[in-house]
Structures are given as structure tokens and as C-alpha cells.
Amino acid sequence: MCSILSWVRPSLVSRTSARTCWAAPRTLTVRLYTTVSQDAAHSETNRAQNTLKRFWKTVGIDSRIDGIAVTLDKRALKTPSGHTLLLPENKRLAATLIANEWENQETLLKPHALPMTSVASRAIDTLHDEETRSEVQEALLNYLDTDTICFHHDDPEPLVKLQREHWDPLLQWARSTFEIEIHVHRSVLFHSQPERTRQVLNSVLTRMDPWEMAAMERVTYVTKSFLIALALVKRHLTAEQAALAAQVEVASQVERWGEVEDSHDVDYHDVRRQLGSAACLIANMP
């Protein structure tokens, strides 16, 4: 097996280009580079890290007794920490998308185009460890006090309208579903949510599996909102709905002043790639 992912960091803000693929898993073939021998695997891995050039010929999905592995030239992918990137049988969609990411790497590797690989690696490498998981939970809970959807403006009207449309129903869902109090603020200075709210939501995080936690972490960091992330992980919001809620202020600016080329349009797609990868990671297939 070759460890080819040591240069792929599970960044939550990397730019990505994953398309949802619902096709049945298959072996994918490519045109570039010859298959490397087992003895040369380590040196070829180093070459990939240094040159970011594609060196494998085939991408495949290998069903095993203990799960599903994505393979390059019949050798399983490994995570940055050296673990086999092994997915449960019900994560076949995620496995298909990871294989698709590697198939779509052409002459030069593009780490930003591996969103499914990075979020799955994050779940495997770090979120099974109790100490790391506890640190992640604490970091995510800290977003409650600065949650995007808890800071409302009274003007301009287009922004107020979008807040009512995307944020108010989400706040009501969180309050009723978890029986908690959530404060909404009109300024950004020295605010916090009730301690009981934090405790209840910490318990919710504790019950999440590593895949859900990896998705929760990614969406929280991308949207700057614990509550948007929670709604996506709990299947209350789709990736598109979560993106719309996260970009309320940007949408208001575009409505008033127009779109800035190579800025607003890039961010529009980037957010959806990130949130889409998280949504696909937690999707379970029978």
C-alpha cells in the first residue's frame, strides 16, 4: 500500500471541485503515467509530494471485509497520518466521490480539488481520538457566541428580508428541536449564549459519530455558524439551503451593488463545494 496523502491537509477552507456522483462504484482508468512497482511506491510518493505530478494509472474501489477502500493502481489510499482510508459499507457514495476526485486529477495534482478525501481523512485520523475530539467540540461550541445567524441588522431592507427568510426559521428550528434558548443580538460586542444552551449542544456533539463530527467541523468553519452546521448534519438543511443561509449578507450586497467578478462568483461555488462534501460524507446508503 502507498501513503500518498501526507501532503493533503484536511483544511476546512481549501477550494474544491467535487461533483456529486450517484453512479454505481466502478474501476476508473486514466491515461497518464505507468503503474509503479511495489518497491518503488515510497519514492514515487515522495515524487508526488515534491512535484505534485500524477503517477498512477488506475483508480478503483475495493470492497473488503472491514469496509471500502479507494485504490490507486490497486494500492489503498492512506490518510496523512498513515491510516488506510477505509470507509464503512454504507459510505459507498463517499467512496465513489473520493475515487472520482483522484480520477479527475490530470497531469498536475490539485490538493484543493480533493474535498471528500480531506474531510474523510479528518474523520479517520483525528476524530476517533477522544482528546482531539474534545478539543474540536470545545472549538465548535465557541462559535455559538459569534454565530453568524445570531447577529441581525435592522437595515438595509434587502438584508432584513433575507434574514427573515433564511435565519429566523433556522433559529426557531434549533430552539424547538433542542429545547434551548438562543439569543439574537443587534451588535457584535460582548455577547454570549446561555450556559445551558452550550451544555445541551455539547451533549448533541458528543453523540455524533466521527463522520458527523468531521462534517460539523467543516461546515462550522466555512459558514462561521454552529447552527447552520448543526442543521445540515441533522438533515434539516440541504447543502444548498445551508449555503444560502451562510451567504445572506453577501447576497444582500450583490442585490444592492452587483456582483464582483472573480470574487462573489468564486465564493458562491467554493462554499457549495465545501458544504456538499460534508453533506455527502454523512449520507448513508443501504
Side-chain angles (χ1 to χ4, degrees):
M1 296 182 181
C2 58
S3 176
I4 63 173
L5 292 183
S6 59
W7 53 270
V8 179
R9 301 194 181 277
S11 170
L12 300 174
V13 295
S14 61
R15 296 198 180 278
T16 63
S17 60
R19 289 185 178 181
T20 302
C21 176
W22 297 96
R26 58 188 178 89
T27 299
L28 307 170
T29 58
V30 297
R31 297 178 295 277
L32 302 175
Y33 296 95
T34 58
T35 302
V36 297
S37 67
Q38 185 70 28
D39 293 338
H42 182 69
S43 61
E44 292 295 338
T45 298
N46 291 337
R47 180 162 67 86
Q49 295 170 2
N50 293 331
T51 67
L52 298 183
K53 289 184 178 180
R54 176 170 180 155
F55 61 84
W56 63 91
K57 184 177 180 181
T58 61
V59 181
I61 296 176
D62 184 15
S63 293
R64 305 181 175 188
I65 295 176
D66 52 350
I68 305 171
V70 176
T71 63
L72 302 187
D73 293 338
K74 299 184 179 180
R75 289 186 293 275
L77 289 176
K78 288 192 175 182
T79 68
S81 294
H83 300 103
T84 298
L85 205 164
L86 195 67
L87 297 155
E89 185 65 32
N90 64 356
K91 299 295 182 186
R92 186 164 289 274
L93 171 61
T96 301
L97 292 172
I98 291 170
N100 190 55
E101 288 178 346
W102 288 92
E103 165 67 2
N104 287 334
Q105 301 292 309
E106 297 180 351
T107 304
L108 295 177
L109 305 190
K110 301 175 182 178
H112 65 269
L114 299 167
M116 288 301 307
T117 304
S118 64
V119 72
S121 295
R122 177 66 170 166
I124 293 168
D125 277 348
T126 61
L127 295 174
H128 286 85
D129 178 75
E130 289 302 320
E131 182 178 354
T132 303
R133 184 187 173 105
S134 178
E135 292 173 357
V136 170
Q137 285 187 211
E138 184 67 21
L140 295 181
L141 286 167
N142 287 337
Y143 272 78
L144 277 173
D145 293 336
T146 58
D147 197 297
T148 297
I149 73 169
C150 294
F151 292 85
H152 291 206
H153 298 272
D154 295 324
D155 62 81
E157 181 54 34
L159 176 56
V160 174
K161 178 182 177 182
L162 289 170
Q163 289 172 170
R164 287 197 301 262
E165 180 180 353
H166 296 289
W167 291 358
D168 288 354
L170 186 53
L171 288 165
Q172 183 56 39
W173 168 81
R175 289 168 177 146
S176 61
T177 300
F178 302 104
E179 299 181 345
I180 54 176
E181 184 179 4
I182 300 175
H183 296 160
V184 172
H185 311 292
R186 301 292 174 178
S187 73
V188 296
L189 299 177
F190 310 113
H191 297 296
S192 62
Q193 297 295 342
E195 182 59 28
R196 181 183 174 277
T197 297
R198 187 183 181 96
Q199 292 172 354
V200 170
L201 295 179
N202 184 51
S203 296
V204 173
L205 293 180
T206 299
R207 293 191 294 272
M208 290 184 182
D209 64 33
W211 312 104
E212 292 172 324
M213 278 296 293
M216 183 77 194
E217 183 183 43
R218 169 161 291 186
V219 178
T220 299
Y221 287 2
V222 169
T223 65
K224 307 300 184 293
S225 172
F226 181 98
L227 296 174
I228 291 176
L230 184 62
L232 185 144
V233 171
K234 293 299 182 181
R235 282 80 165 178
H236 178 70
L237 293 180
T238 65
E240 176 63 21
Q241 290 169 332
L244 290 172
Q247 295 186 303
V248 158
E249 294 179 344
V250 173
S252 171
Q253 294 170 7
V254 170
E255 184 175 340
R256 294 183 69 197
W257 311 113
E259 182 177 273
V260 178
E261 188 175 358
D262 292 331
S263 177
H264 288 141
D265 54 339
V266 172
D267 289 342
Y268 176 93
H269 293 291
D270 184 47
V271 167
R272 283 158 177 79
R273 290 172 187 137
Q274 299 291 347
L275 303 190
S277 67
C280 289
L281 183 67
I282 61 174
N284 295 324
M285 299 180 68

